[in-house]
Amino acid sequence: MDLTALRTAHPDHWNKAAAIRTLTLDAIHAANSGHSGMPMGMADVATVLYEKHLKFDAAAPNWPDRDRFILSAGHGSMLLYSLLYLTGYPEMTLEQIKNFRQWGAITAGHPEYGHAPGIETTTGPLGQGIATAVGFAMAEELQRARYGKKVVDHYTYVIAGDGCLMEGISQEAIAFAGRQQLGRLIVFWDNNNITIDGTVDLADRTDQIARFRASGWHVQDIDGHDPEAIDAAIEKAKATRKPSMIACKTHIALGSSAQDTSKGHGALTDPQLISDAKAAYGWTAPAFVIPDDIKAQWEAIGQRGAVERANWNVRFASLSERKQAEFTRAYDREVPKKLSATIRALKKQITETAPKLATRASSEKVLEVVNPLMVETVGGSADLTGSNNTKTADLGIFMPENRKGRYVHWGIREHGMAAAMNGMALHGGVRPYGGTFMAFTDYARPAMRLAALMRIPTVFVMTHDSIGLGEDGPTHQPVEHLAISRATPNTYVFRPADTVETAEAWEIALSAKETPSVLSLTRQGVPTLRLDHKINNLTAQGAYVLADATGKREAILIATGSEVSIAMAARDLLQAEGIGTRVVSMPCMELFAEQDEAYRRKVLPAGPVRVGVEAAVRAGGWDRWLLGERGREAKADFVGMEGFGASAPANVLYEKFGITAEATAAKVKALLGK
Amino acid sequence: MDLTALRTAHPDHWNKAAAIRTLTLDAIHAANSGHSGMPMGMADVATVLYEKHLKFDAAAPNWPDRDRFILSAGHGSMLLYSLLYLTGYPEMTLEQIKNFRQWGAITAGHPEYGHAPGIETTTGPLGQGIATAVGFAMAEELQRARYGKKVVDHYTYVIAGDGCLMEGISQEAIAFAGRQQLGRLIVFWDNNNITIDGTVDLADRTDQIARFRASGWHVQDIDGHDPEAIDAAIEKAKATRKPSMIACKTHIALGSSAQDTSKGHGALTDPQLISDAKAAYGWTAPAFVIPDDIKAQWEAIGQRGAVERANWNVRFASLSERKQAEFTRAYDREVPKKLSATIRALKKQITETAPKLATRASSEKVLEVVNPLMVETVGGSADLTGSNNTKTADLGIFMPENRKGRYVHWGIREHGMAAAMNGMALHGGVRPYGGTFMAFTDYARPAMRLAALMRIPTVFVMTHDSIGLGEDGPTHQPVEHLAISRATPNTYVFRPADTVETAEAWEIALSAKETPSVLSLTRQGVPTLRLDHKINNLTAQGAYVLADATGKREAILIATGSEVSIAMAARDLLQAEGIGTRVVSMPCMELFAEQDEAYRRKVLPAGPVRVGVEAAVRAGGWDRWLLGERGREAKADFVGMEGFGASAPANVLYEKFGITAEATAAKVKALLGK
């Protein structure tokens, strides 16, 4: 491709874009790894976006009313790092660019949320960015409806590649955004026709324009190297009330000998290739050097938003003090002061009435008192509202006609829901939770992992959490899903035993600032076990003694959720035979692990035999508590599932799979040799 | 809706369809749970399909050249069970229908593969059926190309609901099937506009017809209650070379007071509603009774294929004996007799040359000798061919122009790939394996779980299996994914240490008839550790002593994959200090668990301290082997990951995260108090 025409038509634009391209080449050469082609191909789009449209102030990267830019094609991370460096984000120094992909650098292989301001979300697993962006756009709508356009008035921009659009999650995002008419969402598709294996045509011939249009999007098709066309397309996209997709025909690895090839997708490190490409760009500066005039132009772009931000500050100050405080509190992920007292009052009421309730119904009871208090919560379900018990009367339905609605009908889209919830949490100001059946954790997994990695407090309400689901059978009965979430770092997995623990779990989940929560909730009714009202949140300790042994302590039963009442019944059987038995309820293994050694030792003293009870596989983190981390603590056994479930009424399944008080007592006695 | 016109226009058809509807109502009434609306809505489509088109013989349900029928909307299981009972599949007795959703019945809440012939795949998790069907259609194409149209000439029919089409996996399936022009795939969309939460419109306004068309499908839009329209549409669909979608406008829970409502989606158990609906159908027979004439018509349908099958047998017999034997062997999931010798020869060669290779490269070496021998293998990758090392020179690319091609470019579609591989395995005659990065196990999870549940031997080639991946960073570095697959019942997770173990793992994976395998393979090079050639497959024992202690055995190091060489180096350090150290390589925990107690005890005798070494979380099944299942076996510790990884060169990461020989030796010494 002859670049001369491009260079001469828009020389200022060209040089700014060339700065991105050369920084990319230099950083990847230094790292000897990375993805050169995408930043080289999309530099023109990014330059026009940042220069003419993106509302931001590099000096105040967390300004709440900034536009969000999401690099869904996260492997092209050098595009983003270049932009942040060039526009003058203080953290993104040249040193960081030079240390691309090295230990300790904020310039990781893929953009990692939390590494530096300006990285709005972690991307890399393809399709996540575009689906997460849906949540950003929703949060903007919700906030705008609540606080007014004068303080909330921004766009969410996405660059997505062919990989993003092939991943199924993109369809969930596209269809949902279309239905919801998320007009502030603007997606640039890097239409370069290249994937790792070859041309896109190897695996796909989808007419992406027709596909987006079928879901109600505004679609344009442009030359992604023509700055005027890019500018005009963004103008049109901003004007429409529909979400917008701009198909940008680009050349991957533009201007290099690897242009338009799969090789160009990866790391271009050959010195000759690099110097030839730079020559084609008319670039003469040494590696990592941006000529002063070009850097100055970029820095001016980085400062462009300062005035607008100052004006915004004035407008924000015109909000009522109450509104300002609420806005700020929600952005800071602070719960209302009253939350704790509200939870306590509910706990007290429950200990007095001791209802038998499914913990999913308990969860609804909690939400009924929480949602009116926490105006920032946004609930939803992947088409299982009545089963997940996620909707409370006050929320209203989020719709184009009702942007104040705080309940989302996500459709049958667990993955898209989870990613969009992440987006809401990342945007700030709202606090998302959403439900599905626990077995379908599988569908939401990639986004749940990202929540943990990004350290954001998304709440996943996973009901029907065992064979207690009954007749729907093994496809719907989780057995390994507690294990999956517990094996994931930085994730709280709550399996509350009754309404009191459910309320405590919600309090922790909503108060968490950097940890997502999985609430594992039953379909079937369970009795209230916490009959003494305690002001303290016992669930926050992870595990505690629910009932101690009478007489000599010979056995400790450790159980979670619906199996705690089974452990209590087993204790009755054992005590009747004179076997002193403690029952430990363990609603959150991760929090128990965070307690000090003394407390853990107090709850689980060495000596007595231990039996764990959970209608799931033992691999779900049990051995640490049964055997002791370094071993030799106790003789132990486990009552749970060894394989998949079956289709039958729940009580039959518990009996057939041997998760009963009798089986538990028998295992204790076997360990004791009685 | 007035049913009279429908009844009178096609009375014979009507009564056959009514038999499905009334059996559905009766079974769900008896079970007091289930999903009535879908079978009632789609009974007309199913009746026409079975009566006029579906090639099958109820007396020989496993006839290889039958058409396949896949109920992707698996909650409507009574549709399928009714069809199987009515057409006379021997296993599907009236007793089974009466025991719908009860313990021990083959009539589970959702169709479970293996419960009864005629259930081609397990469905229920939405979207899986349509994506699995893609694999069925591919297997048909592959087999037809190899054995000729005279013995392989069938269609794959799918009923999919709105839920299936909202799930992202459907897009992966649709786009891939369109690209591949799978003309034998015919999907009926049950277009009833109802989901659990309400009308589809709550969450989706996608023009599904435009969406399918955008991916190259042949699309028709019909009245799903008009038998003539249904028949004509199927004729057209069979004639086109494109995959076909027939949008069937239907009324959910047709003819009941719950018609066209969300309530109609679920279990209709109200006696009055049931009797009113039956009256509307003109149905007077008692519950579970099908009048003889109607049953006879259905049974004739079930026998319709007998002649065709007899003719097929003649045609099959005309194949060469070699071809017949090969065809049958592959259907029986038998490996060629030569496989074992071939693997042995490779092992011998490797022990002699002792290469340093990434295990993904070792895997390619194995495939290079296996693929020419096993003509039924079908490889592929989700756009990471060069990274997953899944392609060998002899395979050819599967394309519309080359149906003999045995390598599939799946595109960036891990989930669709996994489901379609399941479909190929279920269809029979082919043996699928496919690759992606191990971290993206997450994307493929729902289908991987189904492989385990269905007991089919799909092989998942998961490369880049730890922080050894390096610079791509934590989004691409699995830490919990070994734990996830190991927690899943009926799954072999192989983490081979070198080329020899990789060859052994492949031999087991390809020989397995009822267990899927996950091959966890390194990006980075590892040394050959098995330097003595053993004829036996040591990996089949799950774990074995790779190097025993010299002198008194004080410590046992247990390691997998890339960490076995670290354990060996740690042993050198410890032995140098006089600490007798055994190294156990544990390439497959599941197979080790299957060994008898005596062998396990021999490999892991009680007494010596134990340290596990794996660049992953300890929750990945370790404690059972470190601590002993009942505890008190050994003092133990673990060298691995406690959180997510980071972006840096692999050797730096191993050092920074403390997964080194020095750290391992230090933990041993700490346990020994030295």
Side-chain angles (χ1 to χ4, degrees):
Chain A
M1 186 167 181
D2 176 19
L3 305 187
T4 315
L6 292 174
R7 281 170 56 187
T8 49
H10 305 279
D12 278 357
H13 164 83
W14 178 264
N15 285 331
K16 284 199 287 292
I20 296 172
R21 293 184 168 112
T22 58
L23 278 175
T24 296
L25 286 165
D26 292 339
I28 289 169
H29 179 250
N32 200 30
S33 78
H35 296 82
S36 312
M38 188 281 204
M40 292 163 72
M42 285 298 279
D44 296 303
V45 169
T47 298
V48 174
L49 174 65
Y50 271 65
E51 177 174 5
K52 304 220 166 135
H53 296 278
L54 196 78
K55 181 166 77 170
F56 75 108
D57 178 353
N62 295 320
W63 173 24
D65 200 33
R66 71 191 180 280
D67 289 341
R68 268 62 167 182
F69 172 65
I70 292 166
L71 188 69
S72 189
H75 53 278
S77 55
M78 268 311 300
L79 180 74
L80 179 56
Y81 303 150
S82 298
L83 290 162
L84 299 181
Y85 164 64
L86 291 167
T87 55
Y89 281 72
E91 287 82 354
M92 193 57 72
T93 62
L94 190 59
E95 209 48 35
Q96 294 288 354
I97 301 283
K98 289 180 176 172
N99 279 306
F100 180 51
R101 295 180 149 235
Q102 304 310 304
W103 179 263
I106 62 177
T107 44
H110 294 80
E112 301 287 342
Y113 175 72
H115 278 208
I119 302 173
E120 302 284 3
T121 181
T122 295
T123 51
L126 292 173
Q128 293 297 324
I130 186 171
T132 304
V134 167
F136 276 90
M138 292 171 74
E140 197 269 350
E141 296 280 357
L142 283 154
Q143 295 279 84
R144 183 149 39 84
R146 184 164 186 91
Y147 297 102
K149 197 170 169 179
K150 66 180 180 179
V151 294
V152 182
D153 185 20
H154 54 266
Y155 289 84
T156 301
Y157 295 97
V158 179
I159 290 182
D162 290 299
C164 295
L165 299 194
M166 283 199 221
E167 290 287 359
I169 189 175
S170 67
Q171 182 65 21
E172 301 185 21
I174 292 165
F176 183 83
R179 169 62 189 97
Q180 285 286 350
Q181 295 179 44
L182 296 174
R184 300 300 189 99
L185 177 62
I186 297 173
V187 174
F188 302 96
W189 166 36
D190 180 15
N191 178 16
N192 61 32
N193 197 34
I194 293 296
T195 71
I196 292 173
D197 274 6
T199 59
V200 168
D201 181 67
L202 265 183
D204 197 39
R205 286 186 179 166
T206 297
D207 177 344
Q208 297 292 358
I209 290 179
R211 177 189 169 203
F212 276 79
R213 203 169 271 146
S215 286
W217 285 56
H218 178 266
V219 189
Q220 302 174 73
D221 195 3
I222 65 165
D223 173 355
H225 299 301
D226 176 348
E228 289 176 20
I230 298 164
D231 182 33
I234 298 174
E235 281 298 346
K236 279 189 202 151
K238 284 158 81 172
T240 175
R241 294 179 159 220
K242 298 177 176 179
S244 264
M245 191 275 265
I246 304 173
C248 306
K249 188 82 208 75
T250 64
H251 296 278
I252 199 166
L254 181 85
S256 77
S257 57
Q259 181 184 307
D260 300 327
T261 67
S262 281
K263 187 193 163 200
H265 173 93
L268 301 178
T269 54
D270 175 57
Q272 190 62 50
L273 179 149
I274 294 171
S275 85
D276 288 351
K278 287 186 180 178
Y281 300 156
W283 192 267
T284 54
F288 291 113
V289 173
I290 307 298
D292 287 346
D293 58 327
I294 299 175
K295 184 73 166 80
Q297 287 180 53
W298 269 115
E299 285 179 3
I301 293 170
Q303 292 153 14
R304 179 170 52 73
V307 174
E308 206 161 352
R309 188 171 65 85
N311 293 336
W312 181 86
N313 283 336
V314 174
R315 294 197 301 275
F316 184 75
S318 75
L319 290 183
S320 72
E321 276 187 28
R322 196 185 60 75
K323 283 273 177 185
Q324 287 185 48
E326 179 192 287
F327 184 98
T328 304
R329 177 184 64 69
Y331 257 91
D332 292 345
R333 294 181 186 159
E334 296 286 351
V335 296
K337 288 209 173 59
K338 279 189 195 163
L339 179 67
S340 180
T342 303
I343 295 287
R344 241 181 276 150
L346 177 65
K347 282 166 57 179
K348 186 155 193 299
Q349 179 213 319
I350 292 294
T351 54
E352 287 161 7
T353 54
K356 181 176 179 178
L357 277 179
T359 51
R360 64 185 171 121
S362 301
S363 172
E364 185 177 344
K365 268 197 182 302
V366 179
L367 291 170
E368 276 165 3
V369 297
V370 164
N371 282 335
L373 186 68
M374 289 185 71
V375 295
E376 65 269 38
T377 56
V378 181
S381 164
D383 199 47
L384 290 167
T385 294
S387 298
N388 298 146
N389 299 62
T390 33
K391 187 166 178 295
T392 59
D394 56 316
L395 292 183
I397 308 297
F398 180 78
M399 278 290 165
E401 305 75 28
N402 181 29
R403 292 308 198 198
K404 289 192 171 168
R406 287 163 52 204
Y407 191 79
V408 185
H409 287 291
W410 291 103
I412 298 107
R413 303 185 180 110
E414 302 81 8
H415 198 182
M417 171 178 77
M421 288 202 294
N422 287 348
M424 283 194 267
L426 289 161
H427 177 281
V430 293
R431 193 104 197 174
Y433 69 85
T436 185
F437 286 164
M438 185 150 192
F440 303 143
T441 299
D442 286 350
Y443 281 79
R445 254 299 291 177
M448 292 173 72
R449 181 179 208 250
L450 277 187
L453 179 59
M454 293 191 283
R455 309 190 71 81
I456 54 173
T458 317
V459 180
F460 303 96
V461 182
M462 300 308 202
T463 71
H464 298 61
D465 72 345
S466 75
I467 52 167
L469 156 83
E471 292 90 341
D472 274 344
T475 53
H476 287 50
Q477 290 162 356
V479 297
E480 73 275 41
H481 299 82
L482 287 165
I484 289 171
S485 286
R486 287 180 186 147
T488 308
N490 190 42
T491 302
Y492 292 145
V493 183
F494 294 103
R495 194 157 188 264
D498 66 2
T499 312
V500 175
E501 284 190 4
T502 306
E504 292 177 340
W506 265 113
E507 185 180 11
I508 300 162
L510 292 168
S511 305
K513 291 189 167 190
E514 296 196 333
T515 303
S517 293
V518 175
L519 270 67
S520 167
L521 304 172
T522 69
R523 178 195 184 194
Q524 72 276 26
V526 291
T528 298
L529 297 170
R530 284 274 292 281
L531 298 168
D532 291 332
H533 177 57
K534 303 273 191 211
I535 287 172
N536 288 347
N537 186 323
L538 300 189
T539 300
Q541 298 175 303
Y544 60 90
V545 178
L546 179 65
D548 211 346
T550 304
K552 184 191 165 207
R553 188 192 304 126
E554 295 185 72
I556 302 177
L557 304 178
I558 315 173
T560 75
S562 40
E563 284 70 71
V564 179
S565 57
I566 291 174
M568 290 293 278
R571 177 180 177 276
D572 289 346
L573 296 175
L574 291 163
Q575 289 284 166
E577 297 190 45
I579 300 170
T581 303
R582 165 181 286 192
V583 172
V584 170
S585 180
M586 190 176 273
C588 183
M589 290 186 181
E590 296 77 24
L591 286 169
F592 188 57
E594 285 179 15
Q595 305 306 305
D596 62 30
E597 175 97 23
Y599 178 74
R600 297 201 314 250
R601 181 71 50 202
K602 202 176 120 194
V603 174
L604 296 178
V609 302
R610 299 177 190 171
V611 173
V613 195
E614 184 170 82
V617 296
R618 179 168 174 165
W622 275 95
D623 284 330
R624 176 169 179 186
W625 313 119
L626 294 176
L627 306 172
E629 196 156 2
R630 304 247 160 149
R632 293 194 184 279
E633 260 182 29
K635 287 170 80 175
D637 209 339
F638 181 71
V639 174
M641 296 292 291
E642 293 191 349
F644 294 109
S647 173
N651 57 334
V652 175
L653 293 173
Y654 270 86
E655 200 65 40
K656 296 284 185 185
F657 285 111
I659 304 174
T660 62
E662 292 71 21
T664 306
K667 291 215 170 180
V668 167
K669 287 161 69 179
L671 288 171
L672 291 169
K674 293 192 178 183
Chain B
M1 186 166 182
D2 177 19
L3 304 186
T4 316
L6 293 174
R7 280 169 57 188
T8 50
H10 305 279
D12 278 357
H13 165 83
W14 178 264
N15 285 330
K16 283 198 289 290
I20 296 171
R21 294 185 167 110
T22 59
L23 277 175
T24 296
L25 287 165
D26 293 339
I28 288 169
H29 180 249
N32 199 31
S33 78
H35 297 83
S36 311
M38 188 281 200
M40 292 164 71
M42 285 298 279
D44 296 304
V45 169
T47 298
V48 174
L49 174 65
Y50 271 66
E51 178 174 3
K52 304 220 168 135
H53 296 278
L54 196 78
K55 180 166 78 172
F56 74 110
D57 178 354
N62 295 321
W63 174 23
D65 199 34
R66 71 190 181 280
D67 289 341
R68 268 62 166 184
F69 171 66
I70 291 166
L71 188 68
S72 189
H75 53 278
S77 55
M78 269 310 301
L79 179 74
L80 180 56
Y81 303 151
S82 298
L83 289 162
L84 299 180
Y85 164 64
L86 290 166
T87 55
Y89 281 73
E91 288 82 352
M92 192 56 73
T93 62
L94 190 58
E95 210 47 37
Q96 293 287 356
I97 301 283
K98 288 179 176 173
N99 279 306
F100 180 50
R101 294 178 150 239
Q102 303 309 304
W103 179 262
I106 62 177
T107 45
H110 294 80
E112 300 288 342
Y113 176 72
H115 277 207
I119 302 174
E120 303 284 5
T121 181
T122 295
T123 51
L126 292 173
Q128 293 297 323
I130 187 171
T132 305
V134 167
F136 277 90
M138 292 170 74
E140 198 269 351
E141 296 281 358
L142 283 154
Q143 294 280 85
R144 183 151 37 86
R146 185 162 187 91
Y147 298 102
K149 199 172 169 180
K150 66 180 181 179
V151 292
V152 183
D153 185 19
H154 54 266
Y155 288 84
T156 301
Y157 295 96
V158 179
I159 290 182
D162 290 299
C164 295
L165 299 194
M166 283 199 222
E167 290 288 358
I169 189 176
S170 67
Q171 182 64 21
E172 301 184 21
I174 292 165
F176 183 83
R179 168 63 189 96
Q180 285 286 349
Q181 295 180 46
L182 297 174
R184 300 299 188 99
L185 176 63
I186 297 174
V187 175
F188 303 95
W189 166 36
D190 180 14
N191 178 16
N192 61 32
N193 197 35
I194 294 295
T195 70
I196 291 175
D197 275 5
T199 58
V200 167
D201 180 65
L202 266 183
D204 197 40
R205 285 185 179 166
T206 296
D207 177 345
Q208 297 292 358
I209 290 180
R211 177 188 169 204
F212 276 79
R213 203 168 271 146
S215 287
W217 285 56
H218 177 266
V219 189
Q220 302 174 74
D221 194 3
I222 64 165
D223 174 357
H225 299 301
D226 176 348
E228 290 177 19
I230 297 163
D231 183 33
I234 298 173
E235 281 297 348
K236 278 189 205 151
K238 284 158 81 172
T240 175
R241 293 180 159 218
K242 298 177 176 180
S244 264
M245 192 275 266
I246 304 173
C248 306
K249 187 84 209 77
T250 63
H251 296 278
I252 198 167
L254 181 86
S256 78
S257 56
Q259 181 183 306
D260 301 327
T261 68
S262 281
K263 188 193 162 201
H265 173 93
L268 301 178
T269 55
D270 174 56
Q272 189 62 49
L273 179 149
I274 293 171
S275 84
D276 289 351
K278 287 185 179 176
Y281 301 156
W283 192 268
T284 55
F288 291 113
V289 173
I290 307 299
D292 287 347
D293 58 327
I294 298 174
K295 185 72 165 82
Q297 287 180 51
W298 269 115
E299 284 177 4
I301 293 170
Q303 292 153 14
R304 179 169 52 73
V307 174
E308 207 161 352
R309 187 170 66 85
N311 293 337
W312 182 87
N313 284 336
V314 173
R315 294 197 301 274
F316 184 76
S318 75
L319 290 182
S320 73
E321 277 186 30
R322 196 187 59 76
K323 283 271 176 187
Q324 287 185 49
E326 179 193 286
F327 184 98
T328 305
R329 177 185 63 70
Y331 258 91
D332 293 346
R333 295 180 186 160
E334 295 286 352
V335 296
K337 286 207 174 64
K338 280 188 194 163
L339 179 67
S340 179
T342 303
I343 294 287
R344 239 179 280 150
L346 177 64
K347 282 165 58 178
K348 185 154 193 299
Q349 180 213 319
I350 292 294
T351 53
E352 288 163 7
T353 54
K356 181 175 179 179
L357 278 180
T359 52
R360 63 185 170 120
S362 301
S363 172
E364 184 177 344
K365 268 199 180 304
V366 178
L367 291 170
E368 276 166 2
V369 297
V370 163
N371 281 335
L373 186 67
M374 289 185 72
V375 294
E376 65 269 38
T377 55
V378 180
S381 163
D383 198 47
L384 289 167
T385 294
S387 298
N388 298 147
N389 299 64
T390 34
K391 187 165 178 296
T392 59
D394 56 317
L395 291 182
I397 308 297
F398 181 78
M399 278 290 167
E401 304 76 26
N402 181 28
R403 292 308 198 197
K404 289 191 173 169
R406 288 161 55 203
Y407 191 79
V408 185
H409 286 291
W410 291 103
I412 299 108
R413 303 183 180 112
E414 301 81 8
H415 198 181
M417 171 178 77
M421 287 202 294
N422 287 348
M424 282 194 267
L426 288 161
H427 177 281
V430 293
R431 192 101 199 177
Y433 68 86
T436 184
F437 285 164
M438 187 153 193
F440 303 143
T441 299
D442 286 350
Y443 280 79
R445 254 298 291 176
M448 292 173 73
R449 181 179 208 249
L450 278 186
L453 178 58
M454 292 193 282
R455 310 191 69 80
I456 53 173
T458 318
V459 180
F460 304 97
V461 181
M462 300 308 201
T463 72
H464 298 61
D465 72 346
S466 75
I467 53 168
L469 157 84
E471 292 91 341
D472 273 344
T475 54
H476 286 51
Q477 290 163 355
V479 296
E480 73 274 40
H481 299 83
L482 287 165
I484 289 172
S485 287
R486 287 180 186 146
T488 307
N490 191 42
T491 302
Y492 292 145
V493 183
F494 294 103
R495 194 158 188 263
D498 66 2
T499 312
V500 175
E501 283 191 5
T502 306
E504 292 178 339
W506 265 113
E507 184 180 14
I508 300 162
L510 292 169
S511 305
K513 291 189 168 190
E514 297 196 331
T515 303
S517 293
V518 175
L519 270 67
S520 167
L521 303 172
T522 69
R523 176 194 187 197
Q524 73 275 27
V526 291
T528 298
L529 297 170
R530 286 272 294 279
L531 298 168
D532 289 332
H533 176 56
K534 304 273 189 211
I535 288 173
N536 287 348
N537 186 323
L538 300 188
T539 299
Q541 298 174 305
Y544 60 91
V545 178
L546 179 65
D548 210 346
T550 303
K552 187 191 165 204
R553 189 191 303 127
E554 295 184 70
I556 303 177
L557 304 178
I558 315 172
T560 75
S562 41
E563 284 69 71
V564 179
S565 58
I566 292 175
M568 290 294 278
R571 177 181 177 276
D572 288 346
L573 296 176
L574 291 163
Q575 289 284 168
E577 297 191 44
I579 300 171
T581 303
R582 166 181 284 193
V583 172
V584 170
S585 180
M586 190 177 273
C588 183
M589 290 187 180
E590 297 76 25
L591 286 168
F592 188 56
E594 285 179 15
Q595 305 307 304
D596 62 31
E597 175 94 24
Y599 178 74
R600 297 201 315 249
R601 181 71 49 202
K602 201 176 124 195
V603 174
L604 296 178
V609 302
R610 298 179 188 170
V611 172
V613 195
E614 184 170 83
V617 297
R618 179 167 173 165
W622 276 95
D623 284 331
R624 175 169 180 186
W625 313 118
L626 294 177
L627 306 172
E629 197 155 2
R630 306 245 160 152
R632 293 192 183 279
E633 260 183 26
K635 289 170 80 175
D637 209 337
F638 181 71
V639 174
M641 296 293 291
E642 293 191 351
F644 294 108
S647 172
N651 58 334
V652 176
L653 293 172
Y654 269 87
E655 201 64 42
K656 296 286 184 184
F657 286 111
I659 303 174
T660 61
E662 292 72 21
T664 306
K667 291 214 170 180
V668 167
K669 287 161 69 179
L671 288 171
L672 291 170
K674 292 191 179 184

